[in-house]
Amino acid sequence: MDFDLTAEQQKRFDDLRDALISASPEPDGSGAPYDRDRWQEVARLGLTGLCLPTEYGGGGLDTLDTALGLEAFGEGYADTGLVFAVSAHLLACAVPIRDFAGDDVRAELLPGLASGALIAANAMTEDEAGSDLRTPSVTARRDGDHYVLHGEKSFASNAPAADVIVTYAVTDPGAGFLGLSGFAVPRNLPGIHVSEPFTKMGLSSCPAGRVRFDGCAVPARYLLGREGQGTAVFTHSMQWERTCLFAGYLGMMNRQLARCAEQARERRQFSKPIGSFQAVSHRIAGMKQRLEAARLLLYRAAWLLARDRPDTTAIALAKLAVSEAAVANSLDAIQVFGGSGYLAGTGVERNLRDAVPSTLFSGTSEIQRNLVAQSLGL
């Protein structure tokens, strides 16, 4: 096993991280969603199209290199909400369009998705279909050369800002998993209603809202794959998202760890740097251990997926390790910074608020443990 990055990979990572550090504004704490100018700023660095085909303006990267790009994003950019928003746009939306849309739809949508001219949202979750995706209520009825969509999705990141909504609806109620179909729906079609952005605990700069379809007639060419293939399309997109999106949290934790080590070296109590106290130094060592273990699991899952060997257990272990390390490390960071870490505006408490949702989206920690247990015959 060779654990070294190639010279090309390391240079791409360093150049991207450094460019992002220069571009990254410290979030103002207002919780305001990103605007198009901020989106375009990171899009110009290639982040909105990392793994999209080069012929459409993308970077043409595989899963491991995409993960490395998003890790650099998370390390170099202070606003984890925008890191998440771009990652969701790319992995849960652009990837299924890349791999399942017809040639005409790919030509129509992928250039804009790669350049950042278009923003995409993934609308899968419903009030009664979150972790249990067997019984979604949104339906799509074939009517000539259109599908007519009815129903409501309860939580869609990027939806209030989106130009394209990737969604899933039941086309054959009696077919179970084979009755679900995926669609790439232009936001400007009549019959689409998106709520105002939710007020959330974390990732506040990424707007999320409800999406309602009231007899929305979607041209059949926007079907992803074949009718009834929606479960396979969604599973494929989740393999990419659960593997690559969480690399952004690796970057966040790396930046967080550096800040904690600096704080431990510089802050003094009882006439000593606080890092000289074992209670502090061991806490930071534990943060390092969680980060490095999670990184190895994520790189392994990405490496397997890049070789067309998707491993559900490896992906679940990586997602679980990264998300739970992000929460634990963020709690530890608040302890290292003490009272100042509890205050808004330092970024320390914001890391914790941004880390908590990572245990919920893309499949909860409990779902990931279910997948691991199933692999053990339980």
Side-chain angles (χ1 to χ4, degrees), residues 16-374:
L16 185 53
R17 179 199 57 209
D18 294 346
L20 286 159
I21 290 172
S22 300
S24 176
E26 192 68 25
D28 60 12
S30 68
Y34 60 77
D35 57 27
R36 291 273 173 165
D37 289 340
R38 288 185 61 206
W39 184 273
Q40 276 298 319
E41 188 173 44
V42 299
R44 282 192 288 269
L45 297 174
L47 289 160
T48 50
L50 288 171
C51 57
L52 299 184
T54 55
E55 58 264 38
Y56 296 112
L61 302 180
D62 66 11
T63 42
L64 179 56
D65 285 319
T66 298
L68 290 168
L70 294 175
E71 183 179 353
F73 193 6
E75 183 172 340
Y77 206 81
D79 184 358
T80 306
L82 186 58
V83 177
F84 169 80
V86 169
S87 301
H89 152 97
L90 176 64
L91 304 168
C93 305
V95 163
I97 293 171
R98 178 197 70 185
D99 294 339
F100 293 96
D103 290 342
D104 57 339
V105 172
R106 284 159 51 92
E108 175 188 345
L109 298 180
L110 287 181
L113 294 172
S115 70
L118 298 177
I119 297 174
N122 175 43
M124 179 60 164
T125 301
E126 300 180 9
D127 289 333
E128 301 301 325
S131 295
D132 181 5
L133 300 176
R134 294 173 298 178
T135 56
S137 63
V138 174
T139 61
R141 175 179 54 83
R142 185 71 186 249
D143 183 9
D145 58 357
H146 288 71
Y147 285 87
V148 180
L149 272 62
H150 287 276
E152 186 166 313
K153 299 295 184 177
S154 61
F155 198 106
S157 294
N158 285 334
D163 304 291
V164 181
I165 298 173
V166 172
T167 194
Y168 299 84
V170 175
T171 46
D172 184 350
F177 281 114
L178 297 179
L180 191 69
S181 299
F183 300 88
V185 183
R187 167 74 180 278
N188 60 4
L189 291 179
I192 299 176
H193 307 278
V194 179
S195 72
E196 290 297 312
F198 297 140
T199 299
K200 310 194 302 296
M201 172 182 175
L203 303 175
S204 56
S205 61
C206 175
R210 302 179 77 91
V211 179
R212 190 174 79 252
F213 300 99
D214 284 335
C216 177
V218 180
R221 68 193 188 92
Y222 289 110
L223 179 70
L224 296 176
R226 301 183 303 277
E227 186 174 307
Q229 202 177 2
T231 299
V233 173
F234 180 72
T235 298
H236 177 74
S237 71
M238 282 299 100
Q239 288 173 342
W240 275 79
E241 181 171 287
R242 288 174 180 172
T243 301
C244 297
L245 183 149
F246 290 86
Y249 280 97
L250 295 179
M252 185 201 81
M253 285 190 281
N254 212 43
R255 175 164 40 86
Q256 180 186 64
L257 180 65
R259 288 192 66 187
C260 287
E262 181 182 15
Q263 173 78 350
R265 289 191 297 268
E266 294 185 355
R267 186 176 183 228
R268 301 179 70 85
Q269 291 288 286
F270 305 103
S271 303
K272 297 179 180 179
I274 63 171
S276 66
F277 299 109
Q278 196 173 73
V280 175
S281 63
H282 280 194
R283 187 182 294 274
I284 296 173
M287 294 172 67
K288 174 72 169 175
Q289 181 262 327
R290 289 189 206 102
L291 169 58
E292 295 298 338
R295 178 182 280 121
L296 286 172
L297 282 170
L298 187 140
Y299 283 9
R300 178 172 177 266
W303 181 86
L304 286 167
L305 192 52
R307 282 152 182 77
D308 293 323
R309 293 163 53 193
D311 186 314
T312 299
T313 304
I315 292 170
L317 287 169
K319 195 273 185 189
L320 185 63
V322 175
S323 60
E324 300 212 335
V327 174
N329 282 16
S330 296
L331 286 167
D332 279 342
I334 290 175
Q335 292 300 123
V336 170
F337 276 81
S340 65
Y342 181 68
L343 298 176
T346 63
V348 180
E349 54 79 34
R350 189 182 65 247
N351 286 159
L352 177 59
R353 290 189 286 107
D354 290 343
V356 168
S358 72
T359 66
L360 303 174
F361 62 73
S362 303
T364 64
S365 291
E366 290 74 19
I367 289 296
Q368 307 313 312
R369 288 189 172 93
N370 281 351
L371 293 171
V372 175
Q374 289 167 13

